Amino acid sequence: MQTRILKQLALVATCFLPLPAPAAEQITVLTSYPEEVFAKFEAAFEAANPDLDVTIVWRMPHDALPYLRGPGRAHVDVYWAAAYRNFTILAREGALSPLTPDRSALPVSVGSFRLAGPHDSFAGVEMAGFGLAFHPGQLGSLGLPAPNEWSDVADSRYEGHVLLPVPSRVGFAPTLVDGILQGHGWQRGWDLLQRIAANARLVTSGATFLTDELAAHRGAVALGIDFFTRSAIANGMPLAFRYPSTGGLSFAQVAILRDAPKPAPAARFAAFLLSSQGQTLLLDRDIRKMPVRPDIYTADDDTWNPFANDAPILRYDPDLGAQRAGLVSALFDVLITDRHERSKSAWSALRNAERRLGSDAPATERARLARVERMLSALPVTAAEARDPQFAAQFDRRTAPDAAARVAEITAGWRAFFDRQTDEAMHALVE
Amino acid sequence: MRLSNERSRRARLCAALAVLAYAMAHAAEAPESEISPTVADASRDAYSMPMSGLPEDLRQRFLGGRALFRQVWVIAPSADDAIDGLGPVFNRLSCIACHPRNGRGFAPEGPTDELRAMLVRLSMPGDRDKAPPMPHPDYGDQLNELGVPGVPGEGRAAIYYTVREVTLADGTRVPLRAPSIRFRDLAFGDPGPTLLTSARIGPAVFGLGLLEAVPDTTLEHLAKRPGPHRGRMNLIWDAALGRLVPGRFGAKANETTLTRQVAAAAHGDLGITSSLHPVENCTPIQTACRLAPSGGAPELSDDQLDDLVTYLRFVAAPARRDPTDVVVRRGEQRFGDYGCADCHVPTLSTAVDALPAALAGKTFQPYTDLLLHDMGADLADGRPDHLAGGQDWRTPALWGIGLASRVDPRAGFLHDGRARSLLEAVLWHGGEAIDARDAVRDAAPDDRAALLRFLESL
């Protein structure tokens, strides 16, 4: 009886409920962030701006550019992604409208990287660094020290315990690899990458795959981007992460499309990303990106503060990295991915020979092994070519429509070059 | 003599070969190692761990399925044609949105808050007894709030709460919020006064392969128990088998297998077609929806569907914490004393011949009987679903529930997330569970605290 009365009262009360709130104005945001990231920003922005309602359109960077160049652009107000190359292309094509957020709390640049795009066409909103993720317990059980530098995991003691992402398959990996190349130089960088690859299992899945593999003891060290590991650590995984003294930085941007249907609300979304609230949200344990506002970092925060560190990593040139991402990925595939087993055995044979001969080997033997190493390290692309925008443009599938055919032709030549070099090196080794 | 020796030698050889063949055949059948259905992990990833001992081929499918479960789907056409086909109308962009970290969804805090991990099922009163819900002619069987660009979402749901208080025996007052649903921005007009609605948050998704592998005979046996709490099976017509099959997934046990459950959710929540749901979820009046590009026929391939199902089958359930703690044991005792364990049956076993074989013959502690129970008027949605009436709900599994808020602090309890704590959830119980609810309400504070401590240990 009491229940029935309560239900009747509840029904009467329902009649006096306020009418639903009027429809909020919708803005459309194109992004490639994972659900955990965009959903938190979406919810926080809508809570702070109840008159606005965010619609997410999701596309990976390689898929977003053609979408934003096509009719889909007419629906999009904001582009928000870690896809620097796309932003520079769209800015060059005049597809972005000037963005003028309150910059009073924003630095002009981080290291050598200017946060604002040309003519304020976009703004940097967050960044991520690259380094070594590892499982201290697993390393301990293997008797291996925690690595500090990229070169540490090139040591043969790490053989079979390293995970190396493939740049053509894992979104963040081109900048990871380019950070090593910029830090060590073109020739020495590839030499180091080959030695690391000789110890590594190649990985073609991104996101949390690396941390999951480490947690499952299917590898002890992984070369990767910081936030997946730092988020995993914040959520209880027994992992650690170190930034070597050289490496890349990845920046994410926000821009308003020139033809945005809702430019004013779009500007409010961009301003939110750069606000204290939006930047603090980057420190969430499920996100763990680096804010671009120095005032967000606190002394007791475990986030690596790029503004407090004069590390060489800050000298990384993202423009060069973006310019030659296609070239680096193609060369990595031909040199490492496609011939991994052969390359591993060649480097392993060289290491064994070095170990056998020892440090007091005769000069002629040392010279012979140095010649073998030079053969294995030889590259079909010079350092000058690697900095040449015209040369790199041949490999850019986003701007060169016929890139696939041209890349196939060029890489066939590289393949023959590496096969020849390896054959000669192995021949020289057994002389 | 020579012939005899030769025969003997051949016989021994044949026998040896037979033994070898038998051993090889059984070696091929047997899993590489024993699979453990629970995992001792109390972190925020506790609902996301694979069962240990998965053979490599299953592990690869598990990882493939996990990537799809976390995948944000893309509007067609797309260069990423394996993951395009979102919508044309949908609720969220990924599975993980409504099952954050594989955990429970959550209800909006009020009418201005969006349904971020919740949806509203719709239907019309049917004139067929024991049938599936009859979709609304214009809005279908679920309000899809969002649409791809150029396609209007069907409308928005707003959740309003009226709060009442329950006073416990020791004077503690517990506020309970009763939700009601109102719609706005409806794209196809007033759905009419007879529309039936039911709000649902996403359930936690782990240990589902074990629940699927519980034999039908166990459910039949449980449904025949003496007493007021024996429960009823929901029976669903299986066209392939040509017979009625007990449902075991969904808040009203309206899906019989994980494959059907996953395909239905992909279709209903994301607008992703599959071989089980090959037609886009557009009603006849939804012209723009019907004209929108498709991501393929179907958009979710059978291989992808298999991967998703494999993933959900082999996500481990978290192991209990502190089961020998004195307070936990006292709470467990009260759980039985109050009658909770009559429906939240602690232990079930999979069939010895269950498929996949890796899950056969496992005994586990889900705290459910997978049966429907009348939970009273206060929890009723008034929306029948096959044999489930408007007051009926399938007993939800309680395993892992003590980690719900750790996995996601927003996690809600009960089918629509109205309960913000385990105590609130208990106090919403009615119908067949009214005695258990009253026992908790009237319990000594120490006993009530012990009961809750026990639930938190699950």
Side-chain angles (χ1 to χ4, degrees):
Chain A
M1 181 65 180
Q2 193 181 5
T3 303
R4 195 183 309 148
I5 291 169
L6 280 172
K7 282 179 73 73
Q8 285 169 349
L9 283 172
L11 194 63
V12 171
T14 304
C15 301
F16 293 98
L17 287 172
L19 287 171
E25 192 172 9
Q26 291 202 355
I27 59 166
T28 300
V29 176
L30 178 64
T31 189
S32 53
Y33 279 108
E35 173 82 35
E36 293 84 352
V37 177
F38 74 68
K40 287 198 168 155
F41 276 91
E42 179 189 4
F45 175 71
E46 288 175 348
N49 299 271
D51 58 321
L52 296 179
D53 180 18
V54 174
T55 296
I56 296 289
V57 172
W58 197 88
R59 271 178 139 74
M60 291 287 282
H62 70 96
D63 196 22
L65 189 64
Y67 189 81
L68 290 173
R69 285 167 152 174
R73 182 166 88 194
H75 301 286
V76 179
D77 297 292
V78 176
Y79 183 36
W80 170 46
Y84 178 59
R85 183 76 173 141
N86 282 358
F87 284 91
T88 57
I89 292 170
L90 290 167
R92 196 169 60 228
E93 294 176 354
L96 308 177
S97 76
L99 184 64
T100 52
D102 175 7
R103 296 192 189 277
S104 56
L106 290 169
V108 174
S109 61
V110 178
S112 62
F113 183 73
R114 283 183 64 83
L115 285 175
H119 310 294
D120 288 327
S121 48
F122 54 82
V125 290
E126 52 93 345
M127 52 197 159
F130 295 85
L132 296 157
F134 55 94
H135 190 303
Q138 175 75 348
L139 282 177
S141 67
L142 294 167
L144 293 172
N148 292 308
E149 297 291 340
W150 304 114
S151 55
D152 291 344
V153 291
D155 189 302
S156 60
R157 289 178 298 165
Y158 288 84
E159 187 171 349
H161 305 303
V162 180
L163 304 172
L164 176 61
V166 173
S168 60
R169 300 289 299 278
V170 179
F172 64 75
T175 311
L176 162 72
V177 168
D178 197 62
I180 295 173
L181 296 174
Q182 287 196 29
H184 291 262
W186 182 254
Q187 180 62 60
R188 288 188 55 214
W190 280 111
D191 189 9
L192 177 58
L193 282 165
Q194 286 198 79
R195 287 178 176 272
I196 293 171
N199 288 339
R201 175 157 63 94
L202 301 184
V203 169
T204 55
S205 300
T208 60
F209 185 84
L210 287 173
T211 50
D212 289 339
E213 289 291 273
L214 292 177
H217 294 191
R218 295 171 57 84
V221 185
L223 285 72
I225 198 162
D226 55 3
F227 58 86
F228 287 123
T229 308
R230 296 186 55 247
S231 174
I233 293 167
N235 284 308
M237 268 197 197
L239 303 180
F241 190 88
R242 283 196 184 152
Y243 296 93
S245 56
T246 62
L249 269 179
S250 170
F251 290 86
Q253 284 74 29
V254 65
I256 298 172
L257 276 295
R258 187 192 60 204
D259 304 322
K262 308 278 177 57
R268 286 166 62 190
F269 184 81
F272 178 80
L273 297 180
L274 293 165
S275 70
S276 178
Q277 186 187 356
Q279 290 283 293
T280 303
L281 201 49
L282 293 167
L283 304 179
D284 182 282
R285 60 182 164 173
D286 292 338
I287 300 176
R288 293 284 165 169
K289 298 290 190 103
M290 287 190 266
V292 293
R293 280 178 58 148
D295 62 318
I296 303 301
Y297 296 86
T298 56
D300 56 348
D301 182 12
D302 69 343
T303 303
W304 186 75
N305 183 351
F307 301 102
N309 290 276
D310 187 25
I313 194 172
L314 294 175
R315 290 199 283 276
Y316 177 73
D317 179 354
D319 285 303
L320 178 60
Q323 171 188 298
R324 66 186 189 188
L327 163 63
V328 166
S329 294
L331 189 52
F332 188 99
D333 275 347
V334 178
L335 177 58
I336 293 171
T337 317
D338 298 346
R339 52 202 308 281
H340 191 215
E341 287 310 313
R342 191 170 179 210
S343 172
K344 268 165 71 172
S345 26
W347 282 95
S348 178
L350 174 61
R351 279 173 178 163
N352 289 339
E354 286 170 341
R355 203 176 300 129
R356 214 168 33 243
L357 288 171
S359 55
D360 55 349
T364 51
E365 284 300 298
R366 286 207 305 274
R368 185 168 66 90
L369 293 189
R371 187 157 53 91
V372 170
E373 182 173 356
R374 279 198 302 278
M375 286 176 188
L376 289 178
S377 304
L379 297 171
V381 179
T382 66
E385 284 174 321
R387 297 190 76 87
D388 176 4
Q390 305 257 314
F391 185 78
Q394 300 178 98
F395 300 86
D396 191 342
R397 290 166 198 252
R398 297 184 198 180
T399 53
D402 60 342
R406 201 175 310 172
V407 168
E409 189 182 327
I410 296 170
T411 54
W414 292 352
R415 203 160 281 117
F417 174 86
F418 289 128
D419 285 345
R420 197 167 54 243
Q421 291 296 117
T422 309
D423 287 347
E424 288 178 13
M426 291 302 96
H427 188 70
L429 197 61
V430 295
E431 272 175 358
Chain B
M1 184 68 179
R2 186 181 297 162
L3 189 62
S4 173
N5 282 345
E6 180 65 13
R7 277 183 179 158
S8 171
R9 198 173 65 82
R10 281 191 183 179
R12 284 199 304 275
L13 181 63
C14 287
L17 285 173
V19 169
L20 182 64
Y22 179 86
M24 287 175 68
H26 284 74
E29 284 171 11
E32 287 174 12
S33 58
E34 184 72 8
I35 284 180
S36 172
T38 58
V39 60
D41 188 315
S43 75
R44 292 188 71 217
D45 289 322
Y47 296 170
S48 304
M49 308 302 284
M51 294 181 187
S52 62
L54 281 189
E56 185 57 23
D57 58 335
L58 272 182
R59 205 184 74 88
Q60 289 302 325
R61 300 216 75 163
F62 177 94
L63 293 175
R66 186 181 65 176
L68 284 169
F69 197 76
R70 296 175 179 180
Q71 179 66 51
V72 185
W73 284 78
V74 177
I75 300 161
S78 159
D80 291 323
D81 57 2
I83 53 162
D84 71 350
L86 177 72
V89 289
F90 56 99
N91 289 89
R92 297 298 290 176
L93 288 79
S94 67
C95 304
I96 203 80
C98 291
H99 309 276
R101 302 183 85 85
N102 284 10
R104 311 169 73 88
F106 50 94
E109 288 302 314
T112 59
D113 196 7
E114 284 190 13
L115 277 61
R116 300 188 192 279
M118 180 193 238
L119 53 82
V120 179
R121 296 228 192 279
L122 309 172
S123 60
M124 301 298 288
D127 55 3
R128 296 170 300 166
D129 192 22
K130 302 172 184 173
M134 184 187 298
H136 185 277
D138 295 337
Y139 290 95
D141 60 3
Q142 181 169 314
L143 184 75
N144 290 126
E145 296 189 292
L146 306 176
V148 300
V151 176
E154 293 175 338
R156 295 292 185 138
I159 306 296
Y160 290 77
Y161 294 104
T162 49
V163 178
R164 65 182 170 88
E165 283 188 340
V166 173
T167 304
L168 307 181
D170 64 350
T172 303
R173 294 156 73 126
V174 182
L176 300 181
R177 55 179 195 176
S180 59
I181 305 166
R182 303 189 79 182
F183 298 117
R184 61 174 170 82
D185 308 335
L186 289 168
F188 307 102
D190 184 350
T194 57
L195 179 73
L196 303 177
T197 63
S198 184
R200 310 281 175 86
I201 60 168
V205 287
F206 55 79
L208 301 181
L210 296 165
L211 297 180
E212 187 181 41
V214 173
D216 290 354
T217 49
T218 298
L219 274 60
E220 289 162 7
H221 174 74
L222 288 168
K224 288 177 184 165
R225 285 170 296 174
H229 302 149
R230 65 176 181 268
R232 293 177 294 116
M233 291 188 289
N234 201 353
L235 294 171
I236 315 298
W237 179 255
D238 187 315
L241 296 175
R243 63 180 171 84
L244 290 166
V245 177
R248 59 185 74 204
F249 297 112
K252 295 212 178 217
N254 67 345
E255 288 294 1
T256 55
T257 66
L258 261 181
T259 303
R260 286 175 57 136
Q261 173 70 21
V262 171
H267 187 253
D269 307 349
L270 302 173
I272 302 292
T273 60
S274 62
S275 54
L276 296 185
H277 294 273
V279 181
E280 297 285 7
N281 55 349
C282 310
T283 62
I285 199 174
Q286 297 180 3
T287 311
C289 182
R290 286 187 289 110
L291 294 175
S294 163
E299 290 159 338
L300 185 71
S301 72
D302 285 348
D303 275 351
Q304 288 176 310
L305 178 57
D306 281 350
D307 283 354
L308 272 170
V309 170
T310 301
Y311 171 62
L312 293 171
R313 252 183 204 141
F314 291 104
V315 177
R320 282 187 61 186
R321 280 89 48 220
D322 307 323
T324 57
D325 177 273
V326 174
V327 180
V328 169
R329 290 181 67 176
R330 177 175 168 181
E332 187 169 13
Q333 183 66 44
R334 296 296 168 269
F335 189 75
D337 297 342
Y338 299 156
C340 310
D342 291 358
C343 304
H344 292 286
V345 173
T347 302
L348 293 175
S349 296
T350 61
V352 291
D353 57 351
L355 292 175
L359 295 177
K362 303 286 184 192
T363 297
F364 55 103
Q365 284 72 45
Y367 294 87
T368 177
D369 59 3
L370 296 171
L371 298 177
L372 297 171
H373 295 270
D374 179 343
M375 294 301 292
D378 288 347
L379 270 183
D381 65 354
R383 180 176 178 271
D385 194 331
H386 295 82
L387 287 182
Q391 298 194 165
D392 291 340
W393 298 99
R394 188 206 71 164
T395 309
L398 297 183
W399 55 0
I401 203 164
L403 293 171
S405 299
R406 187 177 303 175
V407 170
D408 192 309
R410 303 165 296 180
F413 300 98
L414 299 173
H415 63 279
D416 54 9
R418 69 179 70 187
R420 294 157 292 187
S421 68
L422 292 172
L423 180 59
E424 283 187 32
V426 171
L427 294 174
W428 272 110
H429 282 51
E432 292 176 31
I434 202 160
D435 292 343
R437 180 200 67 190
D438 289 349
V440 175
R441 186 192 61 198
D442 299 338
D446 285 356
D447 282 335
R448 190 174 70 241
L451 175 78
L452 295 174
R453 178 76 185 84
F454 162 68
L455 293 174
E456 285 159 6
S457 80
L458 297 181

PDB file of all heavy atoms in Angstrom, chain A residues 295-306:
ATOM      1  N   ASP A 295      52.896  26.647 -16.350  1.00  0.00           N
ATOM      2  CA  ASP A 295      52.327  26.816 -15.005  1.00  0.00           C
ATOM      3  C   ASP A 295      51.568  25.585 -14.523  1.00  0.00           C
ATOM      4  O   ASP A 295      51.188  25.517 -13.353  1.00  0.00           O
ATOM      5  CB  ASP A 295      51.409  28.043 -14.968  1.00  0.00           C
ATOM      6  CG  ASP A 295      50.228  27.913 -15.919  1.00  0.00           C
ATOM      7  OD1 ASP A 295      50.431  27.432 -17.052  1.00  0.00           O
ATOM      8  OD2 ASP A 295      49.102  28.261 -15.532  1.00  0.00           O
ATOM      9  N   ILE A 296      51.351  24.604 -15.382  1.00  0.00           N
ATOM     10  CA  ILE A 296      50.606  23.411 -14.967  1.00  0.00           C
ATOM     11  C   ILE A 296      51.507  22.432 -14.216  1.00  0.00           C
ATOM     12  O   ILE A 296      51.046  21.643 -13.399  1.00  0.00           O
ATOM     13  CB  ILE A 296      49.979  22.711 -16.199  1.00  0.00           C
ATOM     14  CG1 ILE A 296      49.082  23.695 -16.959  1.00  0.00           C
ATOM     15  CG2 ILE A 296      49.198  21.478 -15.808  1.00  0.00           C
ATOM     16  CD1 ILE A 296      47.947  24.287 -16.147  1.00  0.00           C
ATOM     17  N   TYR A 297      52.798  22.496 -14.515  1.00  0.00           N
ATOM     18  CA  TYR A 297      53.716  21.554 -13.873  1.00  0.00           C
ATOM     19  C   TYR A 297      53.951  21.965 -12.425  1.00  0.00           C
ATOM     20  O   TYR A 297      54.126  23.148 -12.135  1.00  0.00           O
ATOM     21  CB  TYR A 297      55.054  21.525 -14.610  1.00  0.00           C
ATOM     22  CG  TYR A 297      54.948  21.004 -16.024  1.00  0.00           C
ATOM     23  CD1 TYR A 297      54.617  21.862 -17.070  1.00  0.00           C
ATOM     24  CD2 TYR A 297      55.158  19.662 -16.305  1.00  0.00           C
ATOM     25  CE1 TYR A 297      54.506  21.390 -18.372  1.00  0.00           C
ATOM     26  CE2 TYR A 297      55.063  19.186 -17.610  1.00  0.00           C
ATOM     27  CZ  TYR A 297      54.735  20.058 -18.637  1.00  0.00           C
ATOM     28  OH  TYR A 297      54.636  19.587 -19.919  1.00  0.00           O
ATOM     29  N   THR A 298      53.927  20.999 -11.550  1.00  0.00           N
ATOM     30  CA  THR A 298      54.207  21.289 -10.150  1.00  0.00           C
ATOM     31  C   THR A 298      55.387  20.442  -9.695  1.00  0.00           C
ATOM     32  O   THR A 298      55.693  19.413 -10.309  1.00  0.00           O
ATOM     33  CB  THR A 298      52.991  20.956  -9.258  1.00  0.00           C
ATOM     34  OG1 THR A 298      52.640  19.596  -9.476  1.00  0.00           O
ATOM     35  CG2 THR A 298      51.810  21.848  -9.599  1.00  0.00           C
ATOM     36  N   ALA A 299      55.993  20.867  -8.614  1.00  0.00           N
ATOM     37  CA  ALA A 299      57.219  20.204  -8.147  1.00  0.00           C
ATOM     38  C   ALA A 299      56.958  18.751  -7.756  1.00  0.00           C
ATOM     39  O   ALA A 299      57.821  17.886  -7.940  1.00  0.00           O
ATOM     40  CB  ALA A 299      57.789  20.978  -6.979  1.00  0.00           C
ATOM     41  N   ASP A 300      55.771  18.476  -7.206  1.00  0.00           N
ATOM     42  CA  ASP A 300      55.515  17.119  -6.729  1.00  0.00           C
ATOM     43  C   ASP A 300      54.887  16.227  -7.804  1.00  0.00           C
ATOM     44  O   ASP A 300      54.524  15.090  -7.543  1.00  0.00           O
ATOM     45  CB  ASP A 300      54.616  17.156  -5.485  1.00  0.00           C
ATOM     46  CG  ASP A 300      53.321  17.894  -5.751  1.00  0.00           C
ATOM     47  OD1 ASP A 300      53.239  18.549  -6.801  1.00  0.00           O
ATOM     48  OD2 ASP A 300      52.425  17.799  -4.907  1.00  0.00           O
ATOM     49  N   ASP A 301      54.778  16.764  -9.002  1.00  0.00           N
ATOM     50  CA  ASP A 301      54.204  15.977 -10.088  1.00  0.00           C
ATOM     51  C   ASP A 301      55.316  15.147 -10.733  1.00  0.00           C
ATOM     52  O   ASP A 301      56.426  15.645 -10.928  1.00  0.00           O
ATOM     53  CB  ASP A 301      53.588  16.954 -11.098  1.00  0.00           C
ATOM     54  CG  ASP A 301      52.925  16.235 -12.246  1.00  0.00           C
ATOM     55  OD1 ASP A 301      52.752  15.012 -12.137  1.00  0.00           O
ATOM     56  OD2 ASP A 301      52.604  16.887 -13.237  1.00  0.00           O
ATOM     57  N   ASP A 302      55.002  13.905 -11.072  1.00  0.00           N
ATOM     58  CA  ASP A 302      56.046  13.058 -11.652  1.00  0.00           C
ATOM     59  C   ASP A 302      56.181  13.255 -13.161  1.00  0.00           C
ATOM     60  O   ASP A 302      56.970  12.590 -13.808  1.00  0.00           O
ATOM     61  CB  ASP A 302      55.785  11.589 -11.318  1.00  0.00           C
ATOM     62  CG  ASP A 302      54.567  11.052 -12.048  1.00  0.00           C
ATOM     63  OD1 ASP A 302      53.754  11.878 -12.529  1.00  0.00           O
ATOM     64  OD2 ASP A 302      54.424   9.827 -12.135  1.00  0.00           O
ATOM     65  N   THR A 303      55.407  14.178 -13.730  1.00  0.00           N
ATOM     66  CA  THR A 303      55.519  14.432 -15.162  1.00  0.00           C
ATOM     67  C   THR A 303      56.868  15.076 -15.472  1.00  0.00           C
ATOM     68  O   THR A 303      57.271  16.019 -14.806  1.00  0.00           O
ATOM     69  CB  THR A 303      54.401  15.386 -15.626  1.00  0.00           C
ATOM     70  OG1 THR A 303      53.161  14.805 -15.270  1.00  0.00           O
ATOM     71  CG2 THR A 303      54.443  15.607 -17.124  1.00  0.00           C
ATOM     72  N   TRP A 304      57.548  14.557 -16.458  1.00  0.00           N
ATOM     73  CA  TRP A 304      58.815  15.143 -16.901  1.00  0.00           C
ATOM     74  C   TRP A 304      58.526  16.544 -17.430  1.00  0.00           C
ATOM     75  O   TRP A 304      57.663  16.727 -18.285  1.00  0.00           O
ATOM     76  CB  TRP A 304      59.419  14.274 -17.998  1.00  0.00           C
ATOM     77  CG  TRP A 304      60.783  14.686 -18.429  1.00  0.00           C
ATOM     78  CD1 TRP A 304      61.942  14.504 -17.747  1.00  0.00           C
ATOM     79  CD2 TRP A 304      61.135  15.337 -19.654  1.00  0.00           C
ATOM     80  NE1 TRP A 304      63.001  15.001 -18.471  1.00  0.00           N
ATOM     81  CE2 TRP A 304      62.534  15.518 -19.643  1.00  0.00           C
ATOM     82  CE3 TRP A 304      60.406  15.781 -20.754  1.00  0.00           C
ATOM     83  CZ2 TRP A 304      63.220  16.126 -20.686  1.00  0.00           C
ATOM     84  CZ3 TRP A 304      61.076  16.391 -21.803  1.00  0.00           C
ATOM     85  CH2 TRP A 304      62.481  16.558 -21.763  1.00  0.00           C
ATOM     86  N   ASN A 305      59.196  17.519 -16.904  1.00  0.00           N
ATOM     87  CA  ASN A 305      58.899  18.903 -17.250  1.00  0.00           C
ATOM     88  C   ASN A 305      59.888  19.401 -18.294  1.00  0.00           C
ATOM     89  O   ASN A 305      61.043  19.694 -17.977  1.00  0.00           O
ATOM     90  CB  ASN A 305      58.972  19.773 -15.988  1.00  0.00           C
ATOM     91  CG  ASN A 305      58.608  21.219 -16.272  1.00  0.00           C
ATOM     92  OD1 ASN A 305      58.455  21.615 -17.427  1.00  0.00           O
ATOM     93  ND2 ASN A 305      58.452  21.988 -15.214  1.00  0.00           N
ATOM     94  N   PRO A 306      59.456  19.530 -19.519  1.00  0.00           N
ATOM     95  CA  PRO A 306      60.399  19.951 -20.566  1.00  0.00           C
ATOM     96  C   PRO A 306      60.881  21.377 -20.364  1.00  0.00           C
ATOM     97  O   PRO A 306      61.939  21.751 -20.872  1.00  0.00           O
ATOM     98  CB  PRO A 306      59.583  19.830 -21.857  1.00  0.00           C
ATOM     99  CG  PRO A 306      58.177  19.903 -21.426  1.00  0.00           C
ATOM    100  CD  PRO A 306      58.104  19.331 -20.051  1.00  0.00           C
TER     101      PRO A 306
END
